[in-house]
Amino acid sequence: MKKQKNLTTSVCFFLMTGFIAAQTTKKTDSLEEKKIDDIVIIGYKAQKKSSLTAAVSVISDKKLQDSNTPSVSGLLQGKAAGVQVMPNSGAAGSSATVKIRGNSTINGPSSALWVVDGVVMPYAPNLDPNQIESINILKDAASTALYGSKAANGIVQVFTKSGNSGKGTLSASLNNSFNVFNNGRFKLMNGTQLYDYFTSLKGAPEIPKTLRNDGYNWLKGGTQTGVVQSYTIDFKGGSDHSKTYISGNYYNETGTIKGDEYNRLSFRINHEQTIKPWLILKPKVSLSYTTGKDTQASLYQMYLNMPWDNPRDANGNLIRVDEDYTDWYGRDKSNYLYDLQWNYSKSNQLDLIGNMDAEIRFTDYLKFITTNNITYRNFDKTEYVDPRSIAGTSNKGELTESYQKTINKFFNQMLRFDKDFGNHNINALAAYEYTDKYYKESKAGVYGVVPDTDIFNTGATTGQKPSGRKIDRAYNAFLFNAEYVYDKKYFVQGSLRSESSSAFGGIKRNGLFYAYSVGWNIHKEKFFNVKPVNEWKLRASRGLVGNTPYPDYGWQDLYALTQKYNGQIGATWYQLGNPGLTWESIYQNNIGTDIRAFNNRLTLNIDYFNNKTKDLLMLVLLPSLTGVERQYLNIGDVKNKGWEFNVNYSIIRSKDISWDLGFNISTYKNSILSTRNNGTQVLDNYHAAIPGYDVTSFYMRKWLGVNPDNGEAQWEVINPDGSKSATSKYNLATVQIVGAATPDYYGSVSTNLTIKNFYLAANLYFSQGGQVYNSYREYFDSDGAYPYYNQMVLKDGWTRWEKPGDIATHPAAVYNNNSLTNKPSSRYLEDASFIKLRSLRIGYNLPASLTEKMKIKSANIYIMGENLFTITKFSGVDPEIGLRDDNQTVYSGNAGAIYPIPRRFSLGLNFSF
């Protein structure tokens, strides 16, 4: 990928040029006079940065201001080395998946654990990003072991804002944005292009020449410029004995696909009250109410419908297209706009997070901290199908309602000790923790409804079979951590957590997790006399953490009450229990160094990690002769290792101008060490687990291109003797490993420039290597297999075989092609590399002379662009998204008709009193 390599090289050259230029300046740097020894909260304890022995990335609220996403997870992209943030969708209000240090498992979830204000969350929190003070990314066992089995994939630790003891401050933030539909490099044919393609198909029937015109643009007709409004007001204040933070936000977004709407009202109050010098109460309440309405068609419909078909008649009325309708070319006879006159789905979600925390100080070095939390989520969804619609014809209309309720409780009772003994410091904690999760879902519906009704008992003639499920899980744990520091130079830390989980049987219910780490501040040694280096620390850690992926009842025999015999309900054996089922064990090793140099202008962090996961928890399908479908077993091992580099440099730091440049890059490799009987474990989305290969390996037939003699497709055959040959018969080709989704490396470049009252911030994100399976090419690049679906315009450099001797990328196109050239193979595997300008923000801080006249404390105005451009070879919508519409699994790399991430242009105003 030539352009990307050149661009990455240029960025690195630019970065180094900045280093050299900055070192020649002779101006006094204010940072030189300021001692940097910040206190950070890592896991359950507060530590000085200078004594950290763990791999941690700290992200301040200032670094989170370059995005207007409503999702906290979306703010993290490019902010820390070793962190991949993958947007799940570009839909209004959508979130993203956060992965830390790649995949450590095969069958289980690989996303990070979320912890908000010390509370372990059951899912990514639905918080207003404006409420966040800072975020810590915890990566290794030294920082995550105290969280036990839930922290195997790293932790995103969120801290919300708090009040202050000084004069109260009232702040407001107003933002208006426009979302522009962005379909990437994926281009569909217009009517003229499709006519020329169709008539070139071998054996195609004649069609009217009048069709050779641009026709109707289904994609344009179904998309729009979305509008986003976000308004926040917050208050910080207090007295000597009281601190209060109050925040409220309204967020409204219409998507770039018509009919996509999202609204959220959120409120938070964080209070701290000193009752006695030894007693502090810290109650917190967060409330979010979210609504959504969906009257949109899927992109699949917009893509496949042909430009020769117009959804409206000559009078502008929508056409009812069904099986009996003849004047329609599209194979599926689908005019989705007709049904969307009436049909819809809408949802409501309530999130409530409540804390009653307290701190009791026995002495200046010993205190008791109690954290008590309840997290509640209620979600309901209504789906309506009108009897006048085509979809409602058979059932005379349909109304379906579903309800989901989640209740999570978290209690932690902790003693903390922190005392200096001359040059010695001991910092320790001991705690008991309990958490549980309760989830319940129910669904029911009726048929034969009165038009426009939204309740069941309005004339419905019959009903759907109700369904539902209930899940609960509980943990309790004892945890201990101790740190010894000598002369601020040498650090030793150890953690231990004993945990029990209801996800396992009695004989394997308990798990013991541990970590130990060491650190050395080399710059404090007498022999160290390198003046440009202000700080230099070496650190290393090792530990064992567990992982409890799904299911919640994998160790038990399960029965399904779905069959009837002689009118009585009968139970069928559904799952074979496994009393010996136990945790996935992840052994984590980390070595790192932290350097500050050139009067604290340069910050450099380097980490190497090497992790091994044992006893992988896998679902095994059993032979039908056993009378039971499946069983969960601990089988297989995975290895995961890589490097992380993070560099920040203050190129210019003067009274009127400051310029900072940041760069991080990460690389990791994983491989499967063993599976059940060391055989092939076939997974979802064309993946398989085979010893010696990547966890995200693609398992399919290998494409060998087009035979120039006859235009037929060719696939690879691996013969019994190991030799290889080509075949034009798809079913004779060998299914094998043909690639993987894991990138070679990924990272970002960021810059912040301030010139007096003007400022500029930008973030460039890149990923190199890895592959993505463009599954929708099976339909839209089908060589004539789907002649009555619209087709994609061939990318530059792609050619189709027409005559003997042609060297082409595409085989001969045949009407109703049955040669299986469009079936899954490495033909549709594409390079997933990209470079993306994620954000660019330009703003102006109003001068104090003006704000004083306006009687306000401060104010700034800014404009911002997000997702502005992407450089990639990928022919689809976006290589960064690897999950299909409604088929999202833990395996990445399969891109379908994904709701594109829009380009967003924003205008914002912040001011405080």
Side-chain angles (χ1 to χ4, degrees):
M1 196 166 172
K2 188 173 182 181
K3 290 184 178 179
Q4 289 173 301
K5 289 182 179 179
N6 289 344
L7 183 52
T8 306
T9 304
S10 299
V11 168
C12 295
F13 177 77
F14 177 61
L15 183 67
M16 296 306 299
T17 303
F19 288 172
I20 297 170
Q23 293 175 46
T24 62
T25 183
K26 295 182 179 180
K27 290 188 177 182
T28 301
D29 192 336
S30 59
L31 288 177
E32 183 181 3
E33 303 168 359
K34 180 182 178 181
K35 182 63 179 176
I36 299 177
D37 201 6
D38 298 333
I39 301 296
V40 293
I41 299 176
I42 305 300
Y44 289 99
K45 59 187 297 185
Q47 286 183 275
K48 295 179 179 179
K49 278 187 178 181
S50 61
S51 66
L52 276 181
T53 55
V56 178
S57 294
V58 179
I59 307 171
S60 67
D61 61 333
K62 293 181 179 180
K63 295 181 179 180
L64 301 174
Q65 295 175 359
D66 62 351
S67 176
N68 283 323
T69 174
S71 163
V72 178
S73 56
L75 298 175
L76 299 178
Q77 189 178 59
K79 300 297 192 305
V83 180
Q84 287 176 286
V85 179
M86 298 170 291
N88 293 330
S89 168
S94 61
S95 61
T97 298
V98 179
K99 290 174 60 176
I100 298 174
R101 292 187 166 178
N103 294 330
S104 59
T105 184
I106 295 176
N107 198 52
S110 57
S111 56
L113 174 72
W114 288 83
V115 177
V116 179
D117 291 333
V119 176
V120 175
M121 304 297 293
Y123 35 69
N126 185 20
L127 295 176
D128 172 24
N130 293 290
Q131 299 172 356
I132 296 174
E133 184 71 36
S134 65
I135 295 178
N136 292 345
I137 307 295
L138 314 185
K139 307 175 188 178
D140 67 343
S143 58
T144 65
L146 283 181
Y147 287 95
S149 64
K150 298 178 288 296
N153 299 300
I155 296 174
V156 180
Q157 191 175 23
V158 179
F159 301 95
T160 59
K161 295 177 180 178
S162 58
N164 54 54
S165 299
K167 187 177 180 181
T169 301
L170 182 67
S171 302
S173 173
L174 296 83
N175 177 273
N176 285 274
S177 306
F178 296 96
N179 290 340
V180 180
F181 184 79
N182 176 25
N183 210 39
R185 301 187 67 187
F186 184 56
K187 306 298 180 185
L188 292 164
M189 293 184 179
N190 60 32
T192 301
Q193 294 167 319
L194 188 62
Y195 178 90
D196 294 340
Y197 166 78
F198 189 93
T199 54
S200 72
L201 296 176
K202 183 179 180 180
E206 291 188 7
I207 55 176
K209 292 182 179 180
T210 54
L211 295 178
R212 198 176 188 278
N213 60 75
D214 286 352
Y216 182 77
N217 189 328
W218 286 90
L219 196 60
K220 184 177 180 180
T223 57
Q224 64 183 3
T225 298
V227 178
V228 182
Q229 297 172 297
S230 180
Y231 308 117
T232 301
I233 185 168
D234 59 33
F235 170 80
K236 278 186 176 184
S239 62
D240 293 339
H241 303 288
S242 176
K243 299 178 182 179
T244 302
Y245 170 75
I246 302 174
S247 176
N249 171 264
Y250 171 72
Y251 183 92
N252 172 266
E253 181 177 357
T254 56
T256 55
I257 295 180
K258 292 179 179 178
D260 179 20
E261 301 176 17
Y262 175 88
N263 288 270
R264 184 179 68 191
L265 280 169
S266 57
F267 170 80
R268 169 172 287 273
I269 179 168
N270 293 346
H271 184 69
E272 182 177 314
Q273 184 69 46
T274 302
I275 306 298
K276 297 287 185 180
W278 51 271
L279 176 61
I280 303 174
L281 298 182
K282 301 178 180 181
K284 299 182 180 72
V285 176
S286 173
L287 177 67
S288 295
Y289 179 68
T290 305
T291 63
K293 188 170 183 180
D294 183 359
T295 58
Q296 61 176 333
S298 70
L299 278 170
Y300 176 71
Q301 293 275 349
M302 298 182 202
Y303 289 161
L304 67 84
N305 280 344
M306 306 185 78
W308 302 335
D309 298 320
N310 194 309
R312 299 181 184 274
D313 60 23
N315 297 320
N317 299 316
L318 290 169
I319 301 172
R320 180 185 175 98
V321 180
D322 52 26
E323 291 298 325
D324 297 327
Y325 192 82
T326 57
D327 192 18
W328 197 265
Y329 286 92
R331 191 193 80 163
D332 294 348
K333 289 191 174 182
S334 174
N335 178 10
Y336 71 85
L337 292 171
Y338 182 83
D339 279 13
L340 289 184
Q341 295 178 96
W342 309 286
N343 300 350
Y344 66 85
S345 69
K346 59 183 180 181
S347 63
N348 299 276
Q349 178 174 305
L350 178 67
D351 288 276
L352 176 63
I353 304 174
N355 276 51
M356 179 50 73
D357 306 339
E359 180 178 312
I360 300 175
R361 297 177 180 174
F362 299 112
T363 68
D364 58 350
Y365 56 84
L366 181 64
K367 59 186 175 182
F368 173 75
I369 298 173
T370 176
T371 303
N372 308 282
N373 167 271
I374 294 181
T375 301
Y376 174 84
R377 170 174 286 183
N378 186 81
F379 176 86
D380 66 81
K381 185 176 182 180
T382 300
E383 297 172 281
Y384 171 76
V385 178
D386 195 276
R388 294 165 290 185
S389 68
I390 298 172
T393 301
S394 60
N395 293 325
K396 298 182 180 179
E398 181 179 345
L399 181 66
T400 305
E401 292 188 354
S402 58
Y403 296 89
Q404 300 171 20
K405 180 170 66 175
T406 304
I407 301 175
N408 193 81
K409 299 191 289 292
F410 178 88
F411 305 100
N412 183 287
Q413 318 305 319
M414 181 182 301
L415 273 175
R416 282 187 183 173
F417 176 88
D418 189 354
K419 187 173 177 61
D420 291 325
F421 301 91
N423 288 333
H424 308 271
N425 173 267
I426 296 178
N427 186 326
L429 64 86
Y432 170 76
E433 183 175 284
Y434 172 85
T435 182
D436 64 30
K437 176 184 177 180
Y438 172 83
Y439 173 85
K440 185 177 182 181
E441 176 183 348
S442 58
K443 184 176 181 179
V446 294
Y447 302 129
V449 299
V450 174
D452 298 323
T453 187
D454 59 0
I455 55 177
F456 284 162
N457 59 339
T458 52
T461 58
T462 185
Q464 302 178 28
K465 184 180 179 180
S467 62
R469 60 178 178 147
K470 184 172 67 174
I471 299 172
D472 50 14
R473 180 184 284 197
Y475 305 84
N476 67 359
F478 294 92
L479 47 133
F480 174 78
N481 174 272
E483 179 189 35
Y484 169 69
V485 180
Y486 174 69
D487 201 22
K488 297 183 180 181
K489 288 190 292 187
Y490 311 110
F491 319 99
V492 179
Q493 183 177 197
S495 300
L496 192 66
R497 179 181 174 113
S498 176
E499 181 173 324
S500 299
S501 170
S502 65
F504 304 112
I507 62 174
K508 292 288 186 178
R509 182 157 292 170
N510 297 322
L512 186 64
F513 309 109
Y514 64 86
Y516 51 89
S517 59
V518 295
W520 178 24
N521 272 335
I522 301 175
H523 66 280
K524 287 187 174 292
E525 297 289 356
K526 293 181 179 179
F527 63 78
F528 188 83
N529 190 25
V530 182
K531 291 184 178 180
V533 178
N534 304 102
E535 296 181 12
W536 184 14
K537 179 170 60 182
L538 295 178
R539 48 185 168 76
S541 67
R542 177 176 171 82
L544 168 66
V545 295
N547 192 23
T548 52
Y550 301 113
D552 295 279
Y553 309 106
W555 64 279
Q556 294 176 300
D557 288 324
L558 296 182
Y559 298 86
L561 300 173
T562 57
Q563 304 296 325
K564 285 188 177 182
Y565 178 76
N566 197 24
Q568 299 296 317
I569 296 176
T572 57
W573 202 2
Y574 171 66
Q575 176 178 289
L576 178 62
N578 179 7
L581 196 70
T582 189
W583 326 77
E584 292 184 354
S585 299
I586 305 179
Y587 295 86
Q588 299 183 345
N589 302 277
N590 191 93
I591 298 175
T593 186
D594 306 311
I595 297 174
R596 290 181 182 269
F598 307 123
N599 297 325
N600 289 312
R601 288 176 177 266
L602 170 67
T603 301
L604 174 64
N605 312 103
I606 303 174
D607 281 275
Y608 171 76
F609 64 91
N610 191 328
N611 303 334
K612 183 179 181 180
T613 306
K614 301 183 68 176
D615 300 323
L616 292 174
L617 197 153
M618 300 285 290
L619 173 64
V620 177
L621 299 180
L622 302 178
S624 58
L625 293 176
T626 63
V628 60
E629 294 183 8
R630 62 186 199 169
Q631 184 183 33
Y632 281 92
L633 300 173
N634 289 107
I635 46 176
D637 305 311
V638 168
K639 188 175 184 178
N640 190 24
K641 61 182 180 179
W643 288 88
E644 298 168 357
F645 299 87
N646 182 78
V647 181
N648 289 279
Y649 200 84
S650 297
I651 299 174
I652 300 175
R653 186 71 69 189
S654 65
K655 179 180 178 182
D656 295 327
I657 301 176
S658 66
W659 183 18
D660 299 332
L661 194 63
F663 174 75
N664 69 70
I665 188 169
S666 308
T667 179
Y668 70 91
K669 293 183 179 180
N670 62 63
S671 61
I672 297 170
L673 300 179
S674 65
T675 59
R676 188 188 187 194
N677 300 323
N678 282 331
T680 298
Q681 178 77 36
V682 179
L683 308 173
D684 293 339
N685 287 346
Y686 316 121
H687 289 275
I690 302 177
Y693 289 94
D694 192 287
V695 171
T696 64
S697 293
F698 289 100
Y699 188 64
M700 55 183 60
R701 290 163 175 84
K702 186 175 182 179
W703 174 259
L704 293 182
V706 179
N707 188 329
D709 297 329
N710 55 22
E712 293 182 349
Q714 298 180 114
W715 298 271
E716 185 175 87
V717 177
I718 301 178
N719 301 305
D721 62 359
S723 62
K724 298 178 181 180
S725 58
T727 180
S728 60
K729 304 297 183 183
Y730 178 84
N731 290 323
L732 297 179
T734 303
V735 181
Q736 58 183 295
I737 297 296
V738 292
T742 302
D744 298 327
Y745 59 85
Y746 59 92
S748 72
V749 179
S750 60
T751 186
N752 290 275
L753 173 65
T754 300
I755 302 176
K756 292 189 176 180
N757 292 324
F758 292 93
Y759 64 89
L760 178 148
N763 181 275
L764 188 76
Y765 188 79
F766 60 87
S767 178
Q768 177 66 42
Q771 294 171 298
V772 58
Y773 185 72
N774 195 351
S775 60
Y776 270 54
R777 282 180 60 192
E778 295 176 12
Y779 302 100
F780 307 117
D781 185 16
S782 66
D783 307 323
Y786 294 97
Y788 294 105
Y789 280 177
N790 198 0
Q791 298 293 295
M792 63 184 288
V793 177
L794 295 188
K795 199 175 71 169
D796 290 344
W798 288 359
T799 57
R800 187 172 297 282
W801 188 92
E802 295 179 354
K803 62 184 184 303
D806 283 351
I807 305 299
T809 58
H810 285 52
V814 180
Y815 180 77
N816 282 334
N817 195 335
N818 60 3
S819 62
L820 307 182
T821 60
N822 67 316
K823 295 305 178 182
S825 76
S826 61
R827 174 188 182 183
Y828 297 141
L829 273 183
E830 300 187 38
D831 185 359
S833 303
F834 68 89
I835 296 177
K836 180 177 291 188
L837 181 56
R838 181 182 173 275
S839 66
L840 177 64
R841 176 168 171 156
I842 301 173
Y844 178 72
N845 295 311
L846 273 65
S849 58
L850 182 57
T851 56
E852 289 175 359
K853 293 179 181 179
M854 300 171 63
K855 296 184 178 180
I856 59 177
K857 183 178 180 181
S858 64
N860 75 77
I861 187 171
Y862 65 89
I863 57 174
M864 181 163 60
E866 300 175 68
N867 195 31
L868 294 178
F869 69 78
T870 302
I871 301 174
T872 182
K873 289 183 178 180
F874 182 57
S875 67
V877 174
D878 194 333
E880 191 179 10
I881 302 175
L883 302 176
R884 296 177 63 175
D885 290 335
D886 297 317
N887 191 27
Q888 296 185 1
T889 74
V890 295
Y891 310 108
S892 63
N894 191 354
I898 299 164
Y899 196 134
I901 308 298
R903 289 190 180 93
R904 177 173 291 189
F905 300 93
S906 306
L907 173 64
L909 174 65
N910 301 313
F911 57 91
S912 61
F913 298 92

